[in-house]
Every structure is written in structure tokens, then in C-alpha cells.
Amino acid sequence: MRYRILGFIALGLFLLAAAGLWVVRQGMSPAAPEAPSAAADDPGFPPLVMAARSGEVEAIGELIRAGADPNLLDSGPNEWTPLLHAVHKNQIGSVRALIAAGADVNRPAPYGLTPLSLAATQGEAEIVEELLAEGADTRSRGSHGWTVLQQALGSGNPRVVEALLRKDPDLRLGNGPRDWAVRAIARLQGDSEILARVDRKEARR
């Protein structure tokens, strides 16, 4: 009987941890934009945004040469730049084309989401590395105030964390509720080794 009770307790704790993981992930994730219209002249998603989302690199170049602003904010629900849309759709070609055309890698959405914080949240290591090489701010914060490091640890891709640490070796977690939540997520995902590297940096300070 005692072992059965202990088993129920363990199961309950596991379910609570899983529910907590889901809640934290929801809080870290940016709001998903509404699906854009297929019309090229959609006022919420202009042609440059549509090209960025679909990876049409040649069209991006043509549109910018014709006068499209690579740093415009669309009039859709999230008011994102073309670069944010490209990151959201994991379009590395679009990311490179927009940066080459003058897109600001640190231009945030009105509520603070930056391309780097979005890429870190989604675990897009190649895009994270590209943005960092172009001067993306490792200390920027994403939606709801999450730091890039917190988002990277929650993404489940250690390569993202490693890229951030190479660029900014002094990045570390703190001791707030979000930091402890991210630690729990990292352990559940099996990322204890990369988490230990971050926390050792904290201990040396």
C-alpha cells in the first residue's frame, strides 16, 4: 500500500511538472500572427513581408530596390518587421537577404520582441548565429520580458545557448522565478550539461 501511495505521489508530481512546463512555454512564446491573406496587396502583410515569410530571396531584392522599407512594421496583429516574419518562418535565406538590404537586426516589435529573442525561443540555431554575427543584442528581451538566455535554454536546442555564450561569455541566469522555471525546463529536456555551464559562470561572479 505504501509503495502504491508513493507511486501516485510521483505520478502527481510528474503531471504537475509537465503542466508547469506547458504554462511556462506558453508564456515564453510570442503571440502567433494571424494568417496573412494570399493577396499580394494585403494591407496587413505587404509584398515584402509575404516574400520574407515564403523565402523568396529574389523577390526581396527586387522589392527593396523598388523602394520597399526593410524595417517597416506591418499593420497586422503583431506589427512585425519583415525580419521578424522571416525568423518566425525559419527562412534563413530571407534573413540574410533582408540584413544585406539594410534590415536592423535589433529592431523590435512594439511590445519588445526582437529577431534574436524570437529565434532563440524557436531554437533556430543557424538564424541565431547569423543574427549574432550581424550584431544582435544578446541582452535584449523578448515577449513578456524573457531574456534571450532564458528563451534559449527553454528552446531545447543547446546549440542556441552555446552560440550566445560564444558571443557573450558573461551571460548567466539569475535567481528569479523565471530563472528557476527555465532551469526546471532545461533539466526536463535533458540539457543539464549546458545549464551547468551557465550556472558555473554565475557562481564565479
Side-chain angles (χ1 to χ4, degrees):
M1 176 64 71
R2 182 176 62 181
Y3 293 111
R4 182 177 297 177
I5 292 172
L6 290 174
F8 280 125
I9 292 173
L11 177 61
L13 290 173
F14 173 80
L15 292 174
L16 282 173
L21 174 60
W22 182 85
V23 168
V24 171
R25 277 190 176 279
Q26 291 298 108
M28 292 175 68
S29 300
E34 295 177 1
S37 164
D41 60 352
D42 185 335
F45 293 89
L48 182 59
V49 166
M50 300 295 285
R53 289 170 66 88
S54 57
E56 299 175 42
V57 174
E58 290 185 8
I60 289 171
E62 291 172 1
L63 288 165
I64 290 176
R65 285 192 293 274
D69 180 3
N71 293 303
L72 66 86
L73 294 175
D74 70 55
S75 57
N78 289 322
E79 298 180 82
W80 281 2
T81 63
L83 185 55
L84 278 166
H85 281 282
V87 172
H88 179 59
K89 292 299 183 180
N90 198 15
Q91 295 286 359
I92 184 66
S94 295
V95 168
R96 289 172 176 154
L98 288 164
I99 292 173
D104 182 354
V105 295
N106 290 309
R107 175 76 185 270
Y111 56 91
L113 182 69
T114 65
L116 182 61
S117 59
L118 178 57
T121 298
Q122 297 182 171
E124 297 169 354
E126 187 177 11
I127 289 180
V128 165
E129 290 164 353
E130 186 75 22
L131 293 170
L132 290 172
E134 297 296 334
D137 182 6
T138 59
R139 303 301 177 103
S140 64
R141 290 179 178 265
S143 56
H144 310 294
W146 292 87
T147 68
V148 173
L149 180 60
Q150 289 168 341
Q151 292 169 312
L153 281 164
S155 74
N157 188 348
R159 181 178 159 189
V160 175
V161 182
E162 290 166 356
L164 290 172
L165 293 177
R166 283 195 302 272
K167 184 70 174 181
D168 189 349
D170 291 328
L171 281 177
R172 62 190 179 96
L173 290 176
N175 290 305
R178 291 181 177 182
D179 300 296
W180 288 108
V182 168
R183 286 185 176 94
I185 290 173
R187 292 188 183 101
L188 284 171
Q189 293 174 156
D191 295 333
S192 296
E193 183 177 344
I194 193 74
L195 177 62
R197 285 178 56 193
V198 174
D199 277 342
R200 280 199 297 271
K201 290 178 181 297
E202 178 186 355
R204 289 201 299 267
R205 291 179 70 88

